[in-house]
Amino acid sequence: MRWVTDDAGRRWLVERVGRTSGIVPTRSREGLFPEPADIVRFSCESDKSEADREVTTRAGLLEQLTETELRALLNIAPRAPGG
């Protein structure tokens, strides 16, 4: 679990909520196996009217991502399913 502040000053909780298994691409890429990806959810703690957002990123620990990388993921993350 991590925290990030967006450009508007809102505070977001960042947590890994799952991992993909690595879906086989529709076009074959010789010798390459699909890699798993982490599913990361952003929940706005300072403005509950903001919908949760989810995005996939390279598999690994959230601690390995910089504040700048987290903010960039937040900026591209669409609303979470059901949110």
Side-chain angles (χ1 to χ4, degrees):
M1 176 172 57
R2 297 270 307 271
W3 294 94
V4 67
T5 303
D6 67 13
D7 296 334
R10 293 175 297 212
R11 185 177 159 132
W12 294 80
L13 171 67
V14 186
E15 57 188 337
R16 187 180 84 177
V17 295
R19 181 171 282 176
T20 66
S21 62
I23 299 171
V24 178
T26 56
R27 284 185 259 160
S28 175
R29 297 183 337 200
E30 285 186 39
L32 296 177
F33 291 99
E35 294 184 20
D38 284 346
I39 303 167
V40 177
R41 178 175 293 150
F42 296 87
S43 303
C44 189
E45 294 297 312
S46 59
D47 184 355
K48 295 296 185 182
S49 67
E50 280 287 335
D52 288 352
R53 301 178 187 182
E54 285 185 3
V55 68
T56 57
T57 187
R58 69 183 183 269
L61 298 173
L62 279 179
E63 290 76 19
Q64 294 173 332
L65 297 173
T66 67
E67 179 97 9
T68 302
E69 290 172 320
L70 288 173
R71 208 173 294 119
L73 288 172
L74 172 61
N75 288 335
I76 64 165
R79 290 181 180 196

